[in-house]
Amino acid sequence: HMTATAPAVAEHCDADCEAHRALLLAAARESGVPLVGFAPLDAVMHGRSAQRVAETGGFVDGEALPAQVPPPPAWARSVMVLALPHPPSRPELDRWSATCKGGTPGNAALIRAGAAVRRAAEAAGVRCVAANYRIAQGGVFLKDAATLAGVGVVGDNNLVVTREYGPCVRLRALFVECAPAAVTPLPSPCATCAAKACHAACPQQAFAGGAYCRVTCKQQMASDETTAKAEVVAKMDANADGACSGSSVDLEDQAWVSYCRCCEVGCVLAPQ
Protein backbone atom coordinates (compact mmCIF):
# COMPACT_ATOMS: atom_id res chain seq x y z
CA HIS A 1 0.00 0.00 0.00
CA MET A 2 2.81 2.45 0.93
CA THR A 3 4.68 1.64 -2.28
CA ALA A 4 1.61 2.42 -4.36
CA THR A 5 0.88 5.82 -2.76
CA ALA A 6 4.44 7.19 -2.40
CA PRO A 7 4.81 8.29 -6.06
CA ALA A 8 1.50 10.16 -5.90
CA VAL A 9 2.64 12.01 -2.78
CA ALA A 10 5.93 12.91 -4.44
CA GLU A 11 4.15 14.14 -7.57
CA HIS A 12 1.84 16.27 -5.40
CA CYS A 13 4.83 17.83 -3.61
CA ASP A 14 6.58 18.51 -6.93
CA ALA A 15 3.44 20.17 -8.31
CA ASP A 16 3.06 22.34 -5.23
CA CYS A 17 6.72 23.39 -5.36
CA GLU A 18 6.47 24.24 -9.04
CA ALA A 19 3.42 26.41 -8.39
CA HIS A 20 5.09 28.10 -5.43
CA ARG A 21 8.27 28.81 -7.40
CA ALA A 22 6.19 30.33 -10.19
CA LEU A 23 4.38 32.53 -7.66
CA LEU A 24 7.61 33.80 -6.09
CA LEU A 25 9.20 34.29 -9.51
CA ALA A 26 6.25 36.42 -10.61
CA ALA A 27 6.43 38.50 -7.43
CA ALA A 28 10.14 39.19 -8.01
CA ARG A 29 9.62 40.18 -11.64
CA GLU A 30 6.68 42.42 -10.76
CA SER A 31 9.08 44.16 -8.35
CA GLY A 32 11.56 44.90 -11.12
CA VAL A 33 13.92 41.94 -10.78
CA PRO A 34 14.01 40.10 -14.13
CA LEU A 35 16.58 37.42 -13.35
CA VAL A 36 15.70 34.86 -10.66
CA GLY A 37 16.75 31.31 -9.81
CA PHE A 38 16.42 28.64 -7.12
CA ALA A 39 19.39 26.69 -5.79
CA PRO A 40 19.42 23.62 -3.50
CA LEU A 41 20.21 24.90 -0.02
CA ASP A 42 22.34 21.90 0.89
CA ALA A 43 24.48 22.30 -2.22
CA VAL A 44 25.01 26.00 -1.46
CA MET A 45 25.94 25.35 2.17
CA HIS A 46 28.50 22.75 1.07
CA GLY A 47 29.67 24.48 -2.10
CA ARG A 48 33.09 25.64 -3.23
CA SER A 49 33.16 28.76 -1.07
CA ALA A 50 32.12 26.84 2.05
CA GLN A 51 34.86 24.32 1.34
CA ARG A 52 37.45 27.11 1.03
CA VAL A 53 36.30 28.57 4.34
CA ALA A 54 36.81 25.18 5.98
CA GLU A 55 40.25 24.87 4.41
CA THR A 56 41.31 28.30 5.71
CA GLY A 57 40.10 27.64 9.23
CA GLY A 58 36.96 29.75 9.07
CA PHE A 59 38.07 32.88 7.21
CA VAL A 60 35.95 34.82 4.69
CA ASP A 61 37.64 37.60 2.71
CA GLY A 62 40.50 37.58 5.18
CA GLU A 63 38.24 37.96 8.23
CA ALA A 64 37.55 35.21 10.76
CA LEU A 65 33.95 34.05 11.12
CA PRO A 66 32.47 34.01 14.65
CA ALA A 67 32.38 30.69 16.46
CA GLN A 68 28.60 30.55 16.09
CA VAL A 69 27.12 31.57 12.73
CA PRO A 70 23.29 31.56 12.58
CA PRO A 71 22.18 28.55 10.51
CA PRO A 72 19.51 28.68 7.80
CA PRO A 73 15.94 27.93 8.90
CA ALA A 74 15.43 24.20 9.46
CA TRP A 75 12.48 24.20 7.05
CA ALA A 76 14.36 25.84 4.17
CA ARG A 77 15.03 23.66 1.12
CA SER A 78 16.28 26.18 -1.41
CA VAL A 79 17.90 29.56 -1.86
CA MET A 80 16.05 31.99 -4.10
CA VAL A 81 18.51 34.27 -5.89
CA LEU A 82 17.48 37.72 -7.11
CA ALA A 83 19.71 39.37 -9.74
CA LEU A 84 19.05 43.04 -10.51
CA PRO A 85 20.69 44.53 -13.62
CA HIS A 86 23.12 47.40 -12.99
CA PRO A 87 23.92 48.58 -16.53
CA PRO A 88 26.77 51.08 -17.03
CA SER A 89 24.13 53.54 -18.26
CA ARG A 90 22.72 53.70 -14.72
CA PRO A 91 25.75 54.28 -12.47
CA GLU A 92 23.58 55.81 -9.74
CA LEU A 93 22.31 52.32 -8.82
CA ASP A 94 25.74 51.33 -7.56
CA ARG A 95 26.81 54.49 -5.72
CA TRP A 96 27.34 53.76 -2.03
CA SER A 97 26.41 56.01 0.88
CA ALA A 98 26.19 55.49 4.61
CA THR A 99 22.87 57.33 4.53
CA CYS A 100 21.26 55.07 1.91
CA LYS A 101 19.25 52.08 3.11
CA GLY A 102 21.11 49.02 1.91
CA GLY A 103 24.18 51.11 1.06
CA THR A 104 23.26 51.66 -2.60
CA PRO A 105 20.00 52.45 -4.43
CA GLY A 106 20.38 49.14 -6.28
CA ASN A 107 20.63 47.13 -3.09
CA ALA A 108 17.70 49.07 -1.64
CA ALA A 109 15.67 48.03 -4.70
CA LEU A 110 16.66 44.39 -4.12
CA ILE A 111 15.62 44.64 -0.47
CA ARG A 112 12.20 45.98 -1.53
CA ALA A 113 11.84 43.19 -4.07
CA GLY A 114 12.70 40.62 -1.42
CA ALA A 115 10.02 42.07 0.85
CA ALA A 116 7.49 41.77 -1.98
CA VAL A 117 8.46 38.13 -2.50
CA ARG A 118 8.03 37.43 1.21
CA ARG A 119 4.56 39.01 1.19
CA ALA A 120 3.54 36.88 -1.78
CA ALA A 121 4.92 33.78 -0.08
CA GLU A 122 3.10 34.54 3.17
CA ALA A 123 -0.20 35.01 1.32
CA ALA A 124 0.27 31.58 -0.27
CA GLY A 125 1.27 29.90 2.99
CA VAL A 126 4.88 29.39 1.89
CA ARG A 127 7.62 30.00 4.42
CA CYS A 128 10.22 32.46 3.13
CA VAL A 129 12.73 34.77 4.85
CA ALA A 130 15.48 37.04 3.57
CA ALA A 131 19.04 35.78 3.89
CA ASN A 132 21.40 38.20 5.57
CA TYR A 133 23.87 39.82 3.20
CA ARG A 134 26.79 38.94 5.50
CA ILE A 135 28.00 35.37 5.94
CA ALA A 136 28.89 35.99 9.59
CA GLN A 137 25.27 36.94 10.28
CA GLY A 138 23.68 33.92 8.63
CA GLY A 139 23.97 34.76 4.94
CA VAL A 140 24.90 32.51 2.04
CA PHE A 141 27.64 32.64 -0.55
CA LEU A 142 25.78 34.50 -3.26
CA LYS A 143 28.12 33.58 -6.12
CA ASP A 144 27.76 29.88 -5.34
CA ALA A 145 23.99 30.24 -5.01
CA ALA A 146 23.73 32.12 -8.31
CA THR A 147 25.79 29.47 -10.08
CA LEU A 148 23.77 26.59 -8.65
CA ALA A 149 20.52 28.40 -9.46
CA GLY A 150 21.47 28.78 -13.12
CA VAL A 151 21.57 32.57 -12.88
CA GLY A 152 25.16 32.77 -14.12
CA VAL A 153 28.71 31.54 -13.60
CA VAL A 154 31.69 32.98 -11.77
CA GLY A 155 33.80 34.55 -14.49
CA ASP A 156 37.49 35.28 -14.80
CA ASN A 157 36.81 38.71 -13.29
CA ASN A 158 35.60 37.01 -10.07
CA LEU A 159 32.05 38.25 -10.70
CA VAL A 160 28.88 36.37 -11.56
CA VAL A 161 28.51 36.60 -15.34
CA THR A 162 24.99 36.16 -16.71
CA ARG A 163 23.88 35.48 -20.27
CA GLU A 164 21.41 38.36 -20.20
CA TYR A 165 23.40 41.16 -18.54
CA GLY A 166 26.99 39.98 -18.41
CA PRO A 167 28.52 40.72 -15.00
CA CYS A 168 26.41 43.88 -14.51
CA VAL A 169 24.07 42.51 -11.84
CA ARG A 170 23.79 42.68 -8.06
CA LEU A 171 22.50 39.81 -5.96
CA ARG A 172 20.37 39.11 -2.89
CA ALA A 173 18.93 35.85 -1.59
CA LEU A 174 16.02 34.41 0.35
CA PHE A 175 15.51 31.08 2.09
CA VAL A 176 12.36 29.31 0.89
CA GLU A 177 10.78 26.01 1.86
CA CYS A 178 9.85 24.80 -1.62
CA ALA A 179 12.38 22.55 -3.32
CA PRO A 180 14.28 23.86 -6.37
CA ALA A 181 13.86 22.47 -9.86
CA ALA A 182 16.73 20.67 -11.55
CA VAL A 183 19.12 23.16 -13.18
CA THR A 184 21.63 22.54 -15.95
CA PRO A 185 24.89 24.37 -15.16
CA LEU A 186 25.67 27.18 -17.59
CA PRO A 187 28.89 27.03 -19.62
CA SER A 188 31.46 29.70 -18.83
CA PRO A 189 31.77 32.35 -21.54
CA CYS A 190 35.23 33.12 -20.21
CA ALA A 191 36.54 29.76 -21.47
CA THR A 192 36.37 30.97 -25.06
CA CYS A 193 37.18 34.65 -24.45
CA ALA A 194 40.61 35.46 -25.80
CA ALA A 195 40.37 39.21 -25.15
CA LYS A 196 40.39 39.08 -21.33
CA ALA A 197 39.35 42.72 -21.49
CA CYS A 198 38.22 42.55 -17.86
CA HIS A 199 41.80 41.86 -16.75
CA ALA A 200 43.32 44.59 -18.89
CA ALA A 201 40.77 47.14 -17.63
CA CYS A 202 41.82 46.92 -13.98
CA PRO A 203 43.62 50.15 -12.93
CA GLN A 204 45.41 48.30 -10.11
CA GLN A 205 46.36 45.24 -12.18
CA ALA A 206 44.58 42.99 -9.71
CA PHE A 207 44.74 40.13 -12.22
CA ALA A 208 48.46 40.45 -12.96
CA GLY A 209 49.14 37.10 -11.31
CA GLY A 210 46.59 35.36 -13.53
CA ALA A 211 43.79 35.39 -10.95
CA TYR A 212 41.89 37.96 -8.92
CA CYS A 213 43.81 39.51 -6.01
CA ARG A 214 41.45 40.86 -3.34
CA VAL A 215 44.15 42.84 -1.54
CA THR A 216 45.02 44.79 -4.68
CA CYS A 217 41.35 45.37 -5.46
CA LYS A 218 40.78 46.79 -1.97
CA GLN A 219 43.52 49.35 -2.63
CA GLN A 220 41.40 50.74 -5.46
CA MET A 221 38.30 50.73 -3.24
CA ALA A 222 40.17 52.73 -0.59
CA SER A 223 41.22 55.19 -3.28
CA ASP A 224 37.59 55.51 -4.44
CA GLU A 225 36.50 56.33 -0.88
CA THR A 226 39.20 58.99 -0.56
CA THR A 227 38.11 60.51 -3.85
CA ALA A 228 34.47 60.66 -2.73
CA LYS A 229 35.36 62.43 0.51
CA ALA A 230 37.57 64.88 -1.38
CA GLU A 231 34.62 65.72 -3.63
CA VAL A 232 32.49 66.49 -0.56
CA VAL A 233 35.20 68.81 0.78
CA ALA A 234 35.43 70.57 -2.58
CA LYS A 235 31.67 71.17 -2.61
CA MET A 236 31.80 72.46 0.97
CA ASP A 237 34.59 74.87 0.05
CA ALA A 238 32.52 76.11 -2.89
CA ASN A 239 29.48 76.59 -0.64
CA ALA A 240 29.76 79.73 1.46
CA ASP A 241 27.19 78.40 3.92
CA GLY A 242 29.24 75.27 4.71
CA ALA A 243 27.11 72.16 4.59
CA CYS A 244 28.71 70.55 7.63
CA SER A 245 31.51 70.85 10.12
CA GLY A 246 33.91 68.88 7.96
CA SER A 247 34.55 66.13 10.51
CA SER A 248 35.45 62.65 9.21
CA VAL A 249 32.06 61.35 10.37
CA ASP A 250 30.20 64.09 8.50
CA LEU A 251 32.24 63.47 5.37
CA GLU A 252 31.43 59.76 5.42
CA ASP A 253 27.73 60.49 5.85
CA GLN A 254 27.67 62.88 2.91
CA ALA A 255 29.97 61.03 0.51
CA TRP A 256 28.51 58.95 -2.33
CA VAL A 257 31.22 56.49 -3.35
CA SER A 258 31.43 55.27 -6.93
CA TYR A 259 33.50 52.14 -6.52
CA CYS A 260 35.59 50.95 -9.44
CA ARG A 261 33.71 48.73 -11.92
CA CYS A 262 36.38 48.53 -14.61
CA CYS A 263 36.62 44.72 -14.68
CA GLU A 264 32.81 44.58 -14.76
CA VAL A 265 31.94 47.11 -17.46
CA GLY A 266 35.07 46.13 -19.38
CA CYS A 267 33.70 42.63 -19.94
CA VAL A 268 32.73 41.99 -23.56
CA LEU A 269 29.31 40.79 -22.33
CA ALA A 270 28.52 43.95 -20.37
CA PRO A 271 25.55 45.83 -21.81
CA GLN A 272 26.51 48.96 -23.73
Side-chain angles (χ1 to χ4, degrees), residues 1-259:
H1 178 71
M2 291 181 62
T3 303
T5 57
V9 171
E11 289 173 6
H12 177 68
C13 292
D14 289 343
D16 282 349
C17 285
E18 184 176 357
H20 292 157
R21 289 193 302 268
L23 175 74
L24 303 185
L25 175 64
R29 289 180 171 166
E30 288 172 6
S31 299
V33 179
L35 193 54
V36 182
F38 295 84
L41 174 60
D42 187 65
V44 174
M45 299 304 294
H46 296 89
R48 293 177 58 186
S49 296
Q51 292 173 15
R52 283 198 294 270
V53 169
E55 292 168 358
T56 59
F59 281 79
V60 175
D61 296 343
E63 299 181 2
L65 290 175
Q68 296 294 327
V69 176
W75 45 259
R77 298 172 67 189
S78 63
V79 176
M80 182 179 182
V81 179
L82 310 180
L84 180 68
H86 277 50
S89 60
R90 296 200 58 194
E92 73 279 1
L93 287 174
D94 209 44
R95 290 182 182 137
W96 185 93
S97 172
T99 61
C100 177
K101 181 180 180 180
T104 69
N107 195 38
L110 279 166
I111 292 172
R112 290 194 297 271
V117 169
R118 294 198 305 276
R119 289 193 295 270
E122 181 179 359
V126 179
R127 286 178 288 188
C128 172
V129 297
N132 197 289
Y133 193 73
R134 300 184 181 279
I135 298 297
Q137 298 176 23
V140 296
F141 291 103
L142 289 172
K143 293 178 185 178
D144 286 15
T147 300
L148 291 164
V151 169
V153 298
V154 178
D156 285 353
N157 55 5
N158 197 47
L159 302 172
V160 171
V161 180
T162 69
R163 289 180 294 189
E164 297 87 346
Y165 309 102
C168 298
V169 295
R170 297 296 179 268
L171 308 171
R172 294 288 299 207
L174 303 100
F175 296 115
V176 296
E177 68 173 330
C178 54
V183 173
T184 300
L186 297 175
S188 174
C190 302
T192 55
C193 177
K196 300 299 181 203
C198 57
H199 288 196
C202 179
Q204 296 288 345
Q205 299 301 305
F207 301 94
Y212 172 72
C213 176
R214 188 176 302 279
V215 173
T216 305
C217 183
K218 283 188 173 182
Q219 292 174 357
Q220 180 63 44
M221 294 177 69
S223 175
D224 296 333
E225 292 165 1
T226 300
T227 298
K229 291 179 181 180
E231 290 173 352
V232 173
V233 172
K235 290 178 181 177
M236 289 168 55
D237 289 343
N239 182 0
D241 296 331
C244 68
S245 65
S247 70
S248 59
V249 174
D250 291 331
L251 291 177
E252 184 173 330
D253 286 345
Q254 295 190 49
W256 283 85
V257 186
S258 294
Y259 285 111

